[in-house]
Amino acid sequence: MSVQERKQRERAERERLIVATARELAEQQGWDAVTTRRLAERIEYSQPVLYSHFRGKREIIGAVALEGAAEMAVAVRAATSAADGPRERVTALARAYLDFAARNPAVYDAMFQLDGGLAFAQEDTPAQLKDGFAALLETLGEVAGDDVDPGLFTEVFWACLHGVATLTREGRLPPEYAEQRVTLLVDRLAVL
């Protein structure tokens, strides 16, 4: 291994450590607790080293969001691939999405609530975000209906899931109706 390759590998490992530490701190104490000073202390590198990887908290949030989008896509695809039939796939997608949001609140916030400096629904949208949307579209596109654009249907269904995830987490929706909400979304929105 050349010196250059070793340095690149070490740099990538430091970036992974910064992102993992930011996620851990955000999940434990919230995003307000994530500062470059605290991250530097936790990973035992100086703040200038942190800034050599990320220009600030916004870029760190963006990196967490990209990682989260990739993880969500994997979770959704795993759930839908194990289901038989359109109704079961859409139900599995909804459950996987809501479970991901509930299990990873800080990551979910980085993806959809906080400014990570990422472009959504544009040509320069990062591949991980496009793939996260594609994971939803793969299943939802087949139940959009003949006269509905599959992408538009996916956006609306996703917006409903996001609303349910957010309102549930904020305690605005009674948790005992979680399964009924999924059933209602599937039954009323999808053409099965």
Side-chain angles (χ1 to χ4, degrees):
M1 175 182 299
S2 73
V3 172
Q4 182 67 16
E5 289 172 330
R6 181 180 54 76
K7 285 183 179 184
Q8 287 175 340
R9 188 185 73 222
E10 288 172 355
R11 180 172 178 77
E13 287 172 8
R14 275 193 308 271
E15 283 187 14
R16 281 192 294 276
L17 178 61
I18 292 166
V19 171
T21 304
R23 281 181 71 158
E24 179 182 313
L25 187 56
E27 291 292 359
Q28 291 171 351
Q29 299 177 29
W31 278 104
D32 286 342
V34 179
T35 64
T36 54
R37 179 177 304 235
R38 288 182 93 183
L39 287 173
E41 288 172 3
R42 282 200 175 203
I43 64 172
E44 298 178 345
Y45 283 104
S46 68
Q47 282 183 284
V49 169
L50 228 87
Y51 284 116
S52 74
H53 292 276
F54 299 99
R55 285 182 288 202
K57 183 175 176 177
R58 181 179 187 219
E59 283 190 5
I60 294 169
I61 290 169
V64 170
L66 293 177
E67 201 172 82
E71 292 169 7
M72 186 192 74
V74 167
V76 165
R77 286 187 175 113
T80 57
S81 70
D84 292 325
R87 174 183 300 282
E88 292 77 14
R89 280 191 293 280
V90 175
T91 301
L93 177 147
R95 286 182 184 139
Y97 184 96
L98 295 171
D99 288 346
F100 179 86
R103 282 192 327 272
N104 305 283
V107 173
Y108 193 80
D109 282 350
M111 293 167 63
F112 302 120
Q113 304 292 93
L114 302 174
D115 179 9
L118 303 173
F120 282 81
Q122 298 174 19
E123 282 197 31
D124 61 340
T125 297
Q128 297 93 322
L129 299 180
K130 287 181 180 180
D131 190 52
F133 185 78
L136 301 175
L137 180 62
E138 290 162 10
T139 295
L140 296 172
E142 70 179 282
V143 298
D146 294 336
D147 58 342
V148 177
D149 176 79
L152 182 60
F153 178 78
T154 300
E155 289 173 355
V156 171
F157 200 95
W158 173 28
C160 291
L161 288 173
H162 175 69
V164 170
T166 302
L167 291 170
T168 299
R169 188 167 118 202
E170 296 300 321
R172 304 293 197 271
L173 300 176
E176 62 269 18
Y177 297 111
E179 191 57 35
Q180 290 92 327
R181 285 186 200 95
V182 169
T183 301
L184 186 61
L185 275 172
V186 172
D187 288 346
R188 299 294 186 215
L189 290 181
V191 176
L192 301 167

